[in-house]
Amino acid sequence: MEVPKIEKNIGISLYSTNTEGLGGKLRQEVEDFVVKEITNREEGQEGKYLILELIKRNWDTHHLTRTLAKILQISQKRISIAGTKDKRALTTQKISIFDIDASIIENIHLKDVELNVLGRSRKSIEIGDLWGNAFIITIRDIPSSPEEARKLLEKTTNEILFKSGIPNFFGIQRFGSIRPVTYLVGKAIVEGDFEKAAMLYIAEPFPDEPAEIKKARQLVKETRDFRGGLKNYPLRLGHERAMMNHLIANPNNFAGAFTILPKNLYTLFVHGYQSYIYNTILCRRIENSLPLNQAIEGDIVCFKNNVGFPDSSKTEQVTAETVDAMNRLIKRKRTFITAPLPGYKTEFASGIPGEIEQEVIQELKVPLKGFNVVEVPEMSSKGTRREILLQVEPKFEVTEDELNPIKSKVVLEFMLPKGSYATTLLREYMKVDPLCMS
């Protein structure tokens, strides 16, 4: 089945299943997308950090932390999370706030937000605290009967289980659903062209944006008139406006314009470029008929952590002497084959897997040394490895869709390790334009 152009643009050129797509749509209601964080933290009663359970509905995570900081009259840097959650969803996660009394939380009343005090800790919530996420996702508006949908679901699920999972692609959210510009900005940064990077982010229009925004971006792209841009860009494009304000005050300081943005945003650009390269390498491996669930000589594997999820910090290269032992561990889900998220100290595979990795790096003309970003060191990346197989065992229920007459709905339940995308699984079932999944 043909992959949508928007996915091809981010390095995903294939489906791993050969079944028909269900079709349908996601997020018709906020509660159709439920996410709950899986963490190994246990909180106590002592420490400078107040630990809270945050349950939010239809809130962008960064917008919410900014709002909390304003209410508490503190720096946003004092609020920490383990991972960003979907906006149009019902999500549950832990957050920490430095040096705040628990009694203050009782006075916070935000629509569609619930904050529950869990305890205190000497350590803030960090990315490493997140092991994974549990999902309950409803696909609606499926144009087939419940019986037909169930048969197709079973067929796709059986194929996924037979292959031990699906390719662990970075989903469209990593790049931007409406405006997939992240990796293009990152590419320009790694190539050392901050002016191009800034203009791509500020002014490159994309087809699925509203007409007035496309017009405003095009004008700035053609004229470099940032003052005019501030008059025409809506307030919701706050990041672009902040960068333009910086460039008005500091002409040609394009690298500095990125540091005006929140750190967790401006570091995403280089990560987005790494993700695009990784997706391309993973597709190339599949196209060369290399398995995802069986290591060959030259592969680099990582090992499981305490809860059974892959830990890319512990890797080993597979040799002729160890390949059989490694594949026994892979079958027991104790070891996982990886592909590179390249950086300036990338660990590449050898043998045939390494040839594929190097081939893609050369074809895309990736300047590996450029991942050491001197102008903004926080953007730099030594590189790492990521598991290539997303091992998932979904459960599902099919019924009539009460919101869409004569249509069906599916409720899927599954767990994923951190950094993996629910839409990577959903695309195998739905096989639709990614905008139907945003």
Side-chain angles (χ1 to χ4, degrees), residues 235-251:
L235 293 177
R236 67 178 180 274
L237 298 184
H239 297 316
E240 291 93 325
R241 292 175 63 88
M243 291 179 73
M244 287 192 288
N245 266 314
H246 175 85
L247 290 168
I248 291 169
N250 305 273

Side-chain angles (χ1 to χ4, degrees), residues 27-233:
R27 308 178 202 261
Q28 190 167 349
E29 292 191 328
V30 174
E31 290 78 5
D32 287 347
F33 207 99
V34 179
V35 188
K36 188 169 185 179
E37 206 169 69
I38 302 170
T39 176
N40 67 331
R41 284 184 62 115
E42 293 183 6
E43 314 306 340
Q45 298 302 318
E46 296 181 355
K48 278 285 190 178
Y49 294 93
L50 180 67
I51 310 300
L52 306 168
E53 178 188 61
L54 165 64
I55 303 172
K56 63 180 181 64
R57 179 185 183 277
N58 206 30
W59 272 86
D60 174 80
T61 306
H62 299 304
H63 182 203
L64 179 57
T65 56
R66 284 197 303 271
T67 302
L68 285 174
K70 286 180 181 179
I71 292 171
L72 296 169
Q73 297 183 327
I74 61 173
S75 166
Q76 191 178 346
K77 293 179 180 178
R78 288 168 60 179
I79 303 176
S80 299
I81 58 174
T84 302
K85 298 291 178 283
D86 298 78
K87 178 187 176 183
R88 188 162 175 76
L90 178 63
T91 68
T92 303
Q93 66 189 117
K94 287 184 177 182
I95 68 169
S96 63
I97 307 178
F98 180 71
D99 200 20
I100 285 288
D101 191 87
S103 60
I104 297 175
I105 302 303
E106 297 174 5
N107 299 320
I108 297 176
H109 303 288
L110 288 171
K111 187 176 184 297
D112 295 327
V113 173
E114 184 179 335
L115 289 166
N116 301 312
V117 176
L118 298 177
R120 303 198 72 90
S121 176
R122 294 183 177 89
K123 291 178 60 180
S124 63
I125 301 287
E126 300 294 343
I127 291 175
D129 296 323
L130 176 60
W131 289 125
N133 293 289
F135 296 87
I136 303 175
I137 295 177
T138 302
I139 307 171
R140 294 187 182 273
D141 204 26
I142 297 170
S144 55
S145 69
E147 183 180 351
E148 291 170 334
R150 186 177 293 105
K151 287 180 181 178
L152 185 51
L153 275 161
E154 288 173 350
K155 192 174 179 181
T156 303
T157 300
N158 288 338
E159 191 171 341
I160 290 170
L161 295 176
F162 177 76
K163 295 178 177 179
S164 303
I166 57 174
N168 191 21
F169 292 127
F170 283 98
I172 189 69
Q173 304 99 304
R174 180 73 157 189
F175 306 90
S177 299
I178 302 296
R179 193 169 181 259
V181 74
T182 310
Y183 78 101
L184 297 172
V185 176
K187 180 176 185 289
I189 289 169
V190 170
E191 291 173 344
D193 193 340
F194 271 92
E195 180 176 356
K196 180 180 179 181
M199 292 307 299
L200 279 168
Y201 185 68
I202 293 169
E204 187 65 31
F206 276 73
D208 293 309
E209 291 186 283
E212 65 275 13
I213 292 179
K214 285 192 287 187
K215 183 178 179 181
R217 289 195 196 277
Q218 187 64 35
L219 190 60
V220 171
K221 180 179 179 179
E222 293 172 357
T223 65
R224 304 292 178 100
D225 180 6
F226 299 127
R227 293 186 188 276
L230 290 176
K231 292 178 182 177
N232 294 320
Y233 279 42

